[in-house]
Amino acid sequence: MPSVTLNYETPQFLHSLLGDDITQLRALQDAFGIRATSRDGWVKLEGDQKDIESAKDVFVELEKVRRGGGDITPNTFRLIVDNARQPWSDAPAENLMELKLLGSGRKPPVIAKTRGQIEYIRAMRENEVVFGIGPAGTGKTFLAMAQALHALKEKSVQRIVLTRPAVEAGEALGFLPGDLNEKVAPYLRPLYDALYEMLEADEAEKLLERGIVEIAPLAYMRGRTLKGSFVILDEAQNTTTEQMLMFLTRLGEGSRCAVTGDPSQVDLRRGVRSGLGEAIQVLPDVKGIRFVRFEPTDVVRLPVVQRIIEAYRVHRGAGE
């Protein structure tokens, strides 16, 4: 039976190519119908020559990502394997690494984990306004934040503005305890969480204190002109049509914008039209605007989340 043995400098490096999860060898076997065994710093591939070459190509691409400073996750591994089975790129590792987003301090660089994420990052590089549309867990907000911080470090923008609607508060906002900032804080918490996941705590706090990063409710955007900024509108499905138009017309010279949302998760009152829904109908052909649609296969949370989303999608589609 044909075989090939791949040797690496240390067992640790080989394990890093597998995302520190040796069970990935089983996924490799299932994908190509081969036998894969490993010990110390080597891995042996046995099977049909064509299948061995495909599996070998997977390790070649994974090595390029790893030596380029990227971490291998289960999603990255699956992306490279899927490309070897049904190619969408001649150079998947180069595609990933050319779109690498700067890390910070001890935080590693951010790289795309799915084809949808690759398309999304590229769209944010090439367009002034990008709509990232799709289910939760696809990295829409996280990657927008990463791209914003990348742009800030590259000095292509001078500040970052993060905003989202606080629709759940509605007219009951005045009945909540505390001042206005305390009332809206719970609705902005996910944006703070994303920021602190991307940056060291002291760096994040410094940017917030200096106003280089601003986090505010969507209502605070009215009447402003945002120049030299990377602006992220999160949970855009919960904007009204008036709010969406107001937001998009805030963009000033040198600004870029990412709008994220999931049309299946609208929390607006019955009869109130979603601003994201209208934008999807009105803006697709406008120059400088790009829509990127994520699929359940782009979910980068636990695999069961993909299956949950797909089950609901099928169920709700059948009920229409």
Side-chain angles (χ1 to χ4, degrees), residues 192-207:
Y192 283 98
D193 291 342
L195 180 66
Y196 279 88
E197 188 173 350
M198 296 292 307
L199 298 175
E200 301 292 341
D202 57 344
E203 186 178 5
E205 288 162 9
K206 187 181 299 182
L207 291 175

Side-chain angles (χ1 to χ4, degrees), residues 221-235:
M221 298 298 108
R222 190 173 299 279
R224 299 177 61 182
T225 299
L226 303 171
K227 297 181 179 180
S229 303
F230 196 109
V231 191
I232 300 174
L233 171 58
D234 192 34
E235 297 289 331

